[in-house]
Amino acid sequence: MEENQGVWVFIEVNDGTIEGVSLELLGAGRKLADKLEVPLSGVMLGQGVMPLANEVIYAGADQVYVVDHPVLKNYRTESYMKGVCVLAEKYKPEIFLYGATPNGKDLASAVATDLSTGLTADTTMLDVDVEKRLLEASRPAFGGNIMATILCKKHRPQMATVRPKVMKALEPDEGRKGIIIEEELELREEDMRTKVLRIVKDVTKKASLAEAHVIVAGGKGLGDIQGFQLIHELAEVIGASVGGTRDVVEAGWLKHEQQIGQTGETVTPKIYFAIGISGAIQHVEGMKNSELIIAINKDANAPIFDVATYGIVGDAMEIVPKLIKQFKELSKEKGGEMSYV
């Protein structure tokens, strides 16, 4: 394992654009690489992706390995796994990070199997033990009741997937210089066991919590589905998206795509209202990076106040109607226009 050096990030490209989570991982990878005093590298596969290599450098990488091949036009496990494994066996990284997207999770698990190494899924915190050169990949466990730090002591590379919006990307530095390494890969379309017949894009207009600027989230502290209607009312008045905890979704008060937390969406809005939410680790991991967190809870010792910017101790059933009233009056004064960003 001593010959394994360097931190790698898989750069996922869709429709000619680098996925945001890949840029976020370059930010996290930069910190790990600096601690270990090793280069940070991006690994990018696809067709026509070479022009994107400089973006990877600007985002914090020291070098980029690029495999540009027609067979890699669309993601397929077999072709991408081969490309990544060939590079990993040739250059031997010690840490390899992937975005926890559908493709990223599929690829990471396939690569881990082929390279006979370990993989920590849905990581929310990353650090390194510099002396032992161990990646410390932490994630909620046992239903979100504890944080588990997982180590891969005997195999390399040490691998982890990280969900979007958990880490923060660096500001692009267009003056940054790096090395772009183009690698050749022997691939033939006729050797592929799967074929991409067509790609059907989802054109339905769904409000994405991950992209919302303001979110009003509620928990079981609101009592029942009738009490939860206050969340919808407040959100409507201020033009926010609605989210909730896992308990709320399991109770049928919200749809699964509105769940925020480790097993739901990870969000980073400008403003996050946490109403009737106790603050279990499972939920906090999905919203802790919000710019401004406003918590309302009857329990002054609720963990949610530990991450809140502002906290109101009291009955949400009394406080929220007053907020709705105040926001309605403010909206009238502003001519119906309200801005928070």
Side-chain angles (χ1 to χ4, degrees):
M1 296 191 297
E2 292 178 359
E3 61 184 354
N4 291 77
Q5 291 278 318
V7 177
W8 282 18
V9 173
F10 174 68
I11 308 300
E12 185 172 344
V13 178
N14 283 310
D15 294 327
T17 303
I18 297 174
E19 286 288 317
V21 67
S22 298
L23 301 176
E24 293 160 12
L25 286 178
L26 287 170
R30 182 73 269 162
K31 295 178 182 178
L32 302 180
D34 288 346
K35 284 186 177 183
L36 292 169
E37 298 182 345
V38 296
L40 171 65
S41 304
V43 177
M44 186 163 55
L45 283 67
Q47 182 182 26
V49 295
M50 181 59 77
L52 298 174
N54 279 324
E55 290 186 31
V56 181
I57 300 292
Y58 300 158
D62 297 305
Q63 54 194 26
V64 190
Y65 297 102
V66 180
V67 182
D68 203 316
H69 196 289
V71 176
L72 299 171
K73 178 180 180 181
N74 297 308
Y75 176 80
R76 284 175 288 182
T77 308
E78 183 181 6
S79 56
Y80 272 65
M81 180 187 73
K82 180 177 179 180
V84 169
C85 288
V86 166
L87 292 177
E89 289 171 344
K90 180 177 180 179
Y91 293 103
K92 301 186 185 304
E94 56 187 316
I95 293 173
F96 203 161
L97 307 176
Y98 305 74
T101 62
N103 288 348
K105 290 189 285 188
D106 178 74
L107 177 62
S109 59
V111 171
T113 301
D114 197 72
L115 296 181
S116 298
T117 191
L119 170 66
T120 304
D122 287 332
T123 304
T124 57
M125 290 190 293
L126 295 171
D127 204 349
V128 286
D129 181 327
V130 177
E131 183 179 345
K132 297 180 180 179
R133 304 193 76 81
L134 285 174
L135 174 66
E136 298 175 339
S138 300
R139 53 159 297 160
F142 295 103
N145 293 314
I146 65 168
M147 288 294 292
T149 298
I150 300 170
L151 308 176
C152 181
K153 295 182 177 181
K154 298 182 179 180
H155 302 277
R156 295 294 181 272
Q158 304 164 86
M159 305 210 313
T161 62
V162 182
R163 298 180 66 181
K165 303 291 184 180
V166 171
M167 306 296 173
K168 290 193 175 183
L170 300 174
E171 286 295 323
D173 179 3
E174 296 188 4
R176 184 179 175 80
K177 304 296 182 182
I179 302 170
I180 298 172
I181 304 167
E182 187 170 12
E183 289 285 329
E184 299 293 330
L185 186 64
E186 292 185 12
L187 286 173
R188 299 193 310 164
E189 184 60 45
E190 53 267 32
D191 293 336
M192 297 297 105
R193 287 173 288 185
T194 59
K195 310 293 180 185
V196 178
L197 301 181
R198 63 173 179 158
I199 296 175
V200 180
K201 294 185 178 180
D202 184 1
V203 295
T204 58
K205 293 183 179 179
K206 295 186 291 186
S208 171
L209 279 176
E211 299 171 0
H213 289 301
V214 184
I215 294 174
V216 179
K220 288 298 288 290
L222 288 157
D224 53 31
I225 194 169
Q226 284 75 31
F228 199 85
Q229 291 307 307
L230 287 174
I231 299 297
H232 292 284
E233 292 177 29
L234 177 58
E236 184 176 356
V237 170
I238 63 176
S241 297
V242 172
T245 61
R246 183 174 63 186
D247 287 345
V248 162
V249 172
E250 290 176 348
W253 301 357
L254 288 178
K255 296 178 181 178
H256 179 70
E257 57 263 30
Q258 293 173 288
Q259 180 179 326
I260 297 169
Q262 179 67 17
T263 54
E265 288 280 353
T266 299
V267 298
T268 55
K270 299 283 186 181
I271 304 174
Y272 188 90
F273 287 88
I275 302 173
I277 295 173
S278 63
I281 294 175
Q282 194 278 141
H283 180 77
V284 169
E285 287 299 322
M287 47 69 73
K288 66 182 181 181
N289 289 326
S290 303
E291 290 189 21
L292 182 74
I293 300 172
I294 302 169
I296 302 173
N297 201 291
K298 288 192 291 187
D299 182 3
N301 297 314
I304 192 67
F305 291 123
D306 293 336
V307 296
T309 312
Y310 300 106
I312 303 174
V313 178
D315 189 345
M317 306 305 291
E318 297 177 1
I319 295 170
V320 176
K322 293 179 181 179
L323 287 176
I324 293 172
K325 181 180 178 181
Q326 290 291 319
F327 278 121
K328 282 183 177 179
E329 292 176 358
L330 181 61
S331 179
K332 288 180 181 179
E333 294 175 8
K334 298 284 186 178
E337 295 183 3
M338 300 186 73
S339 177
Y340 312 93
V341 296

